[in-house]
Amino acid sequence: MALVTVRLFLACCAVTAVFGCATPGPVTAPKVAIAPAPSAPKRLDAEAQAVADAAAESARPTDASGTWDWLYRGATQQGDVRIEQEEWHLQQEGSTLSGFFYRQVLMLSSDQRPFTCNGMLGFAINTRVSLVGELSGGRVSLREVGIDTDKNPCDDGRRELYSYEGQLRGDSLVLKLPVGQEQHLVRRVSRAAGQSMMGIGPERGESARPDAVLPLAGVWEWQFRGADPDGDLHVEREEWHLSETGNEISGYYVRLLERRRSSGVFPCNNNGVIQGSTRYVVRGHRFGNKVSLAEVDYQTTPGACENGARRLEQYQGTLHPEGTLVLSWTGGSQTLRRKP
């Protein structure tokens, strides 16, 4: 900066005789040409286009009819698993909406300690809620007008009727409650024939076909046979007994385990064979040919080699026309076959 000042001072002194010398002013950057702002007609054209787009959006027909899904998974303050799922069924006539939704709350113990309300390691609370409402443009108003809840020792039955305000945008429905909570429902719409964007249920508007929804109720079998690195033979068998009412699934399965030592005996029973059985209680629901199941309790047969420790699993599965039920869980997958 000092070098610039000296140079300016010397330049002034060189022409003092003619013009005199002034104190050097601040150094400024050279001016740069700036493009003129868009003209008023262009701004008006953009505004007019925005107004036209908004008018077209408001004039676009909206339809809330169909099946909508919502799912939440979290944990309680005690660390127990909490899964909430809702299936909304809405019908629209003009601007009037009516329908209902099924709500299931599934609780699973995370520390293998039974719940005090039922003495089991899990429970499910099922509720059916009736709805009425209005749709204006994309704005949705809904209110609950009735509640039916299955009898359950873990449910005190106290629940107030809610009102919802929301926005409908195609296959997305965002609802807000007065307390500030918000939930995002997704319409069950197929991306491929017979499969929805969430992988569940038939396409909206698709006609019912005899093979659209496959039967689930009945007895299913699974078997595994193999040897471990020590050469011991492992034989595992499971027989699943499932029934369904509407979209709700209930039942149990019995798991039989047999281990045979290739040589010697097992230290736990001083025998070359270990045998045991466990009975698991399962609950769940289905959407089309997609199945969601959870183990909620179990009982084991006493034995010298049985420590009684189990971890309750959750399953996601698919029914296939050839009579198989493929289930996946955190540890892998298995294919159940319908018992003749």
Side-chain angles (χ1 to χ4, degrees):
M1 189 68 185
L3 180 59
V4 173
T5 305
V6 171
R7 287 182 177 176
L8 288 174
F9 179 76
L10 293 177
C12 288
C13 292
V15 293
T16 299
V18 179
F19 301 102
C21 185
T23 303
V27 179
T28 58
K31 293 182 179 181
V32 178
I34 300 177
S39 60
K42 290 185 178 180
R43 289 199 300 270
L44 291 177
D45 290 344
E47 294 173 359
Q49 184 62 46
V51 171
D53 293 343
E57 180 67 23
S58 61
R60 185 177 302 165
T62 55
D63 184 10
S65 297
T67 303
W68 302 78
D69 295 298
W70 177 78
L71 177 67
Y72 166 81
R73 179 186 174 93
T76 65
Q77 293 182 347
Q78 293 75 29
D80 297 322
V81 177
R82 181 182 180 92
I83 303 174
E84 302 178 29
Q85 185 152 357
E86 295 179 2
E87 180 183 285
W88 292 56
H89 297 261
L90 298 178
Q91 183 175 359
Q92 179 178 340
E93 294 184 5
S95 61
T96 302
L97 297 176
S98 62
F100 61 91
F101 68 84
Y102 290 113
R103 172 177 172 82
Q104 182 183 74
V105 178
L106 181 64
M107 296 289 296
L108 300 173
S109 174
S110 60
D111 57 6
Q112 303 302 308
R113 296 175 60 186
F115 290 96
T116 56
C117 59
N118 64 353
M120 302 176 69
L121 297 176
F123 64 86
I125 299 176
N126 299 305
T127 308
R128 186 184 189 275
V129 182
S130 301
L131 301 162
V132 295
E134 295 287 333
L135 175 63
S136 177
R139 296 190 61 83
V140 176
S141 297
L142 289 167
R143 60 187 178 91
E144 301 175 352
V145 293
I147 299 177
D148 294 320
T149 304
D150 294 345
K151 292 183 179 180
N152 193 309
C154 298
D155 182 20
D156 57 13
R158 293 180 297 178
R159 185 183 182 282
E160 60 181 299
L161 296 174
Y162 294 130
S163 295
Y164 307 84
E165 297 291 333
Q167 189 72 33
L168 173 65
R169 296 186 180 91
D171 296 322
S172 173
L173 176 58
V174 179
L175 297 177
K176 294 183 179 180
L177 280 71
V179 294
Q181 295 177 334
E182 184 177 287
Q183 64 183 118
H184 183 187
L185 308 181
V186 179
R187 197 197 305 260
R188 197 178 297 176
V189 179
S190 178
R191 295 307 188 211
Q195 185 182 30
S196 75
M197 64 187 300
M198 296 178 64
I200 51 179
E203 182 177 3
R204 178 165 54 98
E206 182 182 15
S207 60
R209 302 187 306 272
D211 61 344
V213 178
L214 301 171
L216 174 66
V219 181
W220 302 78
E221 296 178 309
W222 175 81
Q223 180 171 322
F224 168 80
R225 186 183 182 94
D228 62 18
D230 296 330
D232 296 336
L233 176 66
H234 285 244
V235 179
E236 303 176 27
R237 298 184 182 91
E238 293 179 3
E239 186 174 276
W240 293 61
H241 297 255
L242 301 177
S243 60
E244 54 182 329
T245 303
N247 290 331
E248 303 301 321
I249 303 171
S250 60
Y252 68 94
Y253 74 91
V254 177
R255 176 180 174 83
L256 303 175
L257 173 65
E258 179 179 320
R259 293 180 60 187
R260 291 185 175 274
R261 177 134 286 184
S262 58
S263 61
V265 296
F266 292 100
C268 59
N269 63 356
N270 199 32
N271 195 306
V273 179
I274 295 177
Q275 292 180 323
S277 67
T278 307
R279 186 181 189 271
Y280 292 88
V281 180
V282 295
R283 297 284 187 273
H285 45 266
R286 66 178 294 172
F287 296 97
N289 293 322
K290 294 294 180 179
V291 175
S292 178
L293 292 170
E295 300 170 355
V296 297
D297 199 10
Y298 69 88
Q299 294 177 339
T300 60
T301 56
C305 300
E306 174 59 56
N307 59 13
R310 295 289 188 278
R311 185 182 70 176
L312 296 179
E313 291 284 356
Q314 300 178 54
Y315 304 85
Q316 300 296 324
T318 304
L319 278 165
H320 294 280
E322 64 271 17
T324 60
L325 172 58
V326 180
L327 297 178
S328 299
W329 75 100
T330 55
S333 63
Q334 65 187 107
T335 301
L336 308 183
R337 302 188 182 278
R338 187 180 293 276
K339 189 173 181 179

